[in-house]
Amino acid sequence: MKNLFLLACALFMASCANQAVVYKYTGTVKTITGDGGFYDKTVTAQDVGLDSNYKHEKVTFYLSGLPYGQDCAFVGFIQDTDTYKIIKKTLEFGGNVVTHSTVTFPTQFHGDKGVLDVSMTGGNTVLSKKEILQQYNMFDCVDQSELH
């Protein structure tokens, strides 16, 4: 019975450890025009069994950079070991592009008494042979040609 209890506790802890960490950006809208980068893949909501009730129907993954010529608004930061969860959360937040590139917003203190450099760092961290913690910055990108 004791072993069963310990096993249940271990499974509970493992399930909690694999929860998505998501930080929604809540400040003034920050946009950047993408200069291109290292494209990884594009996954549609349908590819992973999600409905299409989102602002966008797909998420494009970049190893670094952002899509060339697209206006991209910063949405937030996400980390998880499960790509499905990253796609789902990105779509829920209104995003359609994720990148490992770091996003930095310098913030000046009152009276110009120094700068607080706040950054969200993307990238992968190997947790074990089976799990890789994926960290991405999420963006809502729009092709400028679609705006006209």
Side-chain angles (χ1 to χ4, degrees):
M1 185 68 172
K2 183 179 178 183
N3 289 342
L4 185 60
F5 176 74
L6 291 175
L7 178 62
C9 288
L11 289 173
F12 175 74
M13 295 295 281
S15 68
C16 290
N18 196 19
Q19 297 298 315
V21 174
V22 184
Y23 299 103
K24 184 172 177 77
Y25 180 66
T26 61
T28 305
V29 175
K30 304 286 186 184
T31 60
I32 184 171
T33 301
D35 286 336
F38 293 98
Y39 169 83
D40 185 18
K41 62 188 169 197
T42 299
V43 181
T44 67
Q46 186 178 11
D47 290 341
V48 293
L50 294 170
D51 57 24
S52 59
N53 294 336
Y54 301 105
K55 178 179 178 181
H56 300 287
E57 294 181 9
K58 62 186 176 183
V59 175
T60 302
F61 288 75
Y62 275 80
L63 301 175
S64 67
L66 290 167
Y68 179 79
Q70 293 194 19
D71 288 333
C72 299
F74 183 58
V75 176
F77 172 82
I78 186 165
Q79 71 177 24
D80 204 312
T81 57
D82 186 345
T83 303
Y84 169 83
K85 290 181 188 175
I86 290 170
I87 294 165
K88 186 173 189 286
K89 287 291 182 187
T90 300
L91 291 171
E92 287 174 359
F93 277 55
N96 62 341
V97 173
V98 294
T99 181
H100 285 308
S101 292
T102 300
V103 174
T104 303
F105 298 121
T107 304
Q108 290 190 341
F109 289 99
H110 180 70
D112 297 327
K113 302 290 184 195
V115 173
L116 173 65
D117 184 16
V118 181
S119 65
M120 301 305 290
T121 304
N124 290 338
T125 303
V126 176
L127 300 177
S128 71
K129 289 182 180 179
K130 294 182 180 180
E131 289 192 320
I132 297 175
L133 181 63
Q134 303 172 66
Q135 298 174 300
Y136 291 99
N137 285 302
M138 301 180 291
F139 287 86
D140 177 8
C141 296
V142 179
D143 191 334
Q144 292 177 357
S145 64
E146 294 176 10
L147 300 175
H148 303 289

